[in-house]
């Protein structure tokens, strides 16, 4: 730590080896986690943040110590800043622009090239966050049932708009478990019970613990099976994020990259390709009698970058997608840069970020490797060392 900057994490002895708890923020976990593995993550966050000036450091520190939405956004900016600095760029944070009082996140200069970068980590709505907080508080309390003989599988949770009566539900589940015999439970047909309270309904199954593992401290919920699979339109979320930032600074005099932090478990390449260069419709040829019927894909003109001959949003030189950026190990992020086919200001030839680069070839994109994350960030192949649940 340099100067008089207060550290991101508290200076204290850490002996808590428990996994991250439901409704526990990333900061709260990293700040108390005693496993030797987490020490490396804390040191990395501090090292990266120490490169910032005092004002920016204070902002990043406050965000990292806040809720997860703010922490993710701050860590994305910290990650981008570190990549640029490590790549030999001179970086100006929040550079002044002549034509607007608004300031992008970074101006990166190297040799004779200049690139503006704006970062965004799309979050959820206030109502969705409130619902997630209510659910998190309920699961956190149910995780404290603390039965020596059973762990729980949550198979159904019906929510209400009010805060969950979590303690009451937990106590009722505790009482139910005491009436079950772990030695006589049919593991092919687990005992199940539904508990209703103040508009909430929780259905759980009791899974017996192996005899030689009973009475050991553990989390009470062993399997989360109450959330149904659902479709998430990642492409629409990506375009919405771009629309909120891309025209914010008007016409810049250098290349402009919008970096979007995502948390998708889908195939990033497919949704990004369709969102940026246009979705695909299929047409059938050979419908006349005697002709062979063939299908061909036609790319629609609904992409954020437009389509051949009608490219749009040319002020955005490229979109950088940073998917699954983890505060624990940022080298695992799936990073891809998607170049505009006809930008007002092309990007420099030399890569700026880890991952892969996609460039339009007339039908789809060609993909080439960019930079290796570990080499760029100066981390060894075995980083981070240590163990999750064992202290130094």
């Amino acid at each position: 730590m340099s100067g008089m900057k207060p550290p991101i994490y508290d200076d204290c002895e850490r002996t808590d080896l428990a996994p991250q708890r439901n409704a526990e923020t990333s900061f709260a976990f990293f700040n108390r986690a005693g496993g030797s593995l987490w020490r490396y993550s804390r040191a990395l966050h501090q090292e990266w943040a120490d490169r910032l000036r005092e004002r920016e450091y204070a902002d990043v520190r406050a965000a990292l110590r806040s809720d997860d939405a703010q922490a993710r956004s701050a860590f994305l900016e910290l990650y981008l800043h570190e990549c640029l600095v490590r790549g030999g760029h001179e970086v100006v944070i929040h550079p002044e622009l002549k034509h607007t009082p608004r300031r992008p996140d970074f101006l990166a200069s190297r040799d004779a090239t200049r690139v503006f970068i704006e970062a965004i980590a799309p979050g959820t709505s206030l109502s969705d966050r409130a619902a997630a907080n209510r659910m998190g508080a309920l699961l956190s309390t149910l995780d404290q049932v603390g039965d020596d003989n059973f762990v729980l599988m949550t198979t159904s949770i019906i929510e209400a708009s009010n805060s969950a009566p979590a303690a009451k539900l937990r106590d009722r589940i505790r009482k139910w478990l005491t009436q079950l015999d772990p030695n006589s439970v049919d593991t092919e047909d687990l005992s199940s019970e539904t508990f209703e309270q103040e508009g909430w309904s929780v259905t759980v199954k009791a899974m017996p613990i192996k005899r030689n593992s009973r009475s050991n401290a553990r989390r009470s919920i062993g399997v989360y099976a109450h959330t149904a699979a659902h479709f998430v339109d990642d492409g629409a979320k990506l375009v919405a994020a771009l629309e909120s930032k891309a025209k914010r600074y008007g016409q810049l005099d250098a290349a402009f990259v919008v970096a979007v932090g995502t948390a998708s478990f889908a195939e990033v390449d497919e949704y990004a390709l369709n969102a940026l260069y246009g979705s695909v419709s299929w047409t059938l040829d050979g419908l006349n009698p005697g002709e062979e019927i063939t299908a061909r894909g036609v790319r629609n003109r609904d992409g954020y970058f437009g389509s051949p001959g009608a490219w749009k949003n040319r002020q955005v030189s490229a979109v950088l997608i940073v998917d699954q950026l983890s505060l624990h190990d940022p080298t695992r992020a799936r990073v891809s840069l998607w170049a505009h086919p006809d930008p007002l200001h092309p990007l420099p030839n030399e890569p700026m970020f880890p991952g892969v680069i996609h460039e339009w070839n007339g039908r789809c994109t060609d993909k080439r490797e960019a930079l290796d994350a570990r080499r760029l960030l100066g981390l060894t192949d075995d980083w981070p060392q240590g163990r999750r649940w064992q202290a130094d």
Side-chain angles (χ1 to χ4, degrees), residues 58-363:
D59 291 342
V60 165
R61 178 180 182 272
L64 289 175
R65 293 172 67 95
S66 184
D67 60 60
D68 279 355
Q70 293 188 61
R72 282 194 299 269
S73 181
F75 193 63
L76 173 62
E77 294 183 18
L78 201 57
Y79 172 81
L80 297 173
H81 181 265
E82 186 70 14
C83 288
L84 294 170
V85 170
R86 292 272 185 174
H89 295 85
E90 179 183 346
V91 182
V92 178
I93 301 174
H94 299 144
E96 293 186 9
L97 302 176
K98 295 180 179 179
H99 60 282
T100 176
R102 293 173 172 171
R103 300 185 180 191
D105 290 321
F106 306 111
L107 171 59
S109 303
R110 185 176 60 186
D111 300 328
T113 64
R114 299 164 64 244
V115 180
F116 291 98
I117 299 102
E118 178 73 359
I120 180 172
T124 54
S125 66
L126 289 176
S127 59
D128 286 345
R129 264 190 278 174
N133 289 338
R134 291 193 296 270
M135 178 63 73
L138 170 65
L139 294 174
S140 180
T141 301
L142 295 186
D143 225 2
Q144 301 168 27
V145 166
D147 192 87
D148 290 336
N149 300 313
F150 294 94
V151 291
L152 302 173
M153 176 194 296
T154 56
T155 59
S156 173
I157 298 180
I158 299 175
E159 305 174 51
S161 58
N162 54 287
S163 296
K168 294 179 181 177
L169 289 166
R170 178 195 60 198
D171 293 344
R172 292 179 60 190
I173 293 173
R174 278 177 178 167
K175 184 177 180 180
W176 170 63
L177 292 176
T178 62
Q179 301 170 6
L180 303 178
D181 180 0
N183 299 317
S184 61
V185 170
D186 183 357
T187 56
E188 298 297 324
D189 186 18
L190 295 174
S191 298
S192 177
E193 190 74 15
T194 298
F195 302 88
E196 297 180 348
Q197 194 90 33
E198 299 176 24
W200 287 75
S201 176
V202 178
T203 302
V204 296
K205 289 185 177 181
M207 301 187 298
I209 301 169
K210 292 181 179 179
R211 190 186 301 272
N212 59 358
S213 299
R214 293 172 191 170
S215 301
N216 294 332
R218 65 178 60 82
R219 297 170 61 166
S220 294
I221 302 178
V223 178
Y224 298 86
H226 60 273
T227 303
H230 60 283
F231 175 78
V232 177
D233 190 349
D234 290 308
K237 291 174 65 176
L238 174 62
V239 171
L242 294 173
E243 294 286 1
S244 71
K245 291 287 187 178
K247 298 178 181 179
R248 183 177 176 82
Y249 306 105
Q251 295 299 331
L252 298 170
D253 62 356
F256 180 39
V257 174
V258 180
V260 185
T262 61
S264 171
F265 291 98
E267 177 52 55
V268 175
D269 286 5
E270 182 177 355
Y271 83 69
L273 181 67
N274 292 337
L276 297 176
Y277 304 101
S279 59
V280 174
S281 295
W282 292 91
T283 62
L284 297 178
D285 295 325
L287 297 180
N288 295 323
E291 293 182 344
E292 181 182 358
I293 298 177
T294 60
R296 59 187 176 91
V298 177
R299 201 160 289 279
N300 299 315
R301 299 189 174 215
D302 55 355
Y304 180 78
F305 286 153
S307 57
W311 299 118
K312 60 183 181 180
N313 293 314
R314 296 176 61 225
Q315 76 278 11
V316 178
S317 305
V319 173
L320 181 74
I321 299 177
V322 184
D323 189 54
Q324 298 291 325
L325 179 62
S326 164
L327 275 80
H328 162 50
D329 184 359
T331 66
R332 296 182 180 181
R334 300 183 295 185
V335 184
S336 55
L337 184 137
W338 300 77
H340 195 296
D342 185 27
L344 291 176
H345 302 284
L347 288 175
N349 292 326
E350 291 296 320
M352 302 175 67
F353 300 101
V356 296
I357 297 173
H358 294 258
E359 295 173 315
W360 182 250
N361 64 15
R363 292 178 58 86

Side-chain angles (χ1 to χ4, degrees), residues 1-9 40-65 71 74-83 85-86 93 106 327 330 377:
M1 187 183 67
S2 61
M4 298 300 294
K5 297 175 182 175
I8 297 172
Y9 299 101
Y40 291 89
S41 301
R42 288 191 293 267
L44 187 73
H45 303 166
Q46 190 66 56
E47 178 187 349
W48 289 6
D50 278 342
R51 300 193 198 281
L52 306 176
R53 297 175 301 185
E54 286 193 15
R55 180 175 178 179
E56 285 80 16
Y57 178 91
D59 291 342
V60 165
R61 178 180 182 272
L64 289 175
R65 293 172 67 95
F75 193 63
L76 173 62
E77 294 183 18
L78 201 57
Y79 172 81
L80 297 173
H81 181 265
E82 186 70 14
C83 288
V85 170
R86 292 272 185 174
I93 301 174
F106 306 111
L327 275 80
L377 297 174

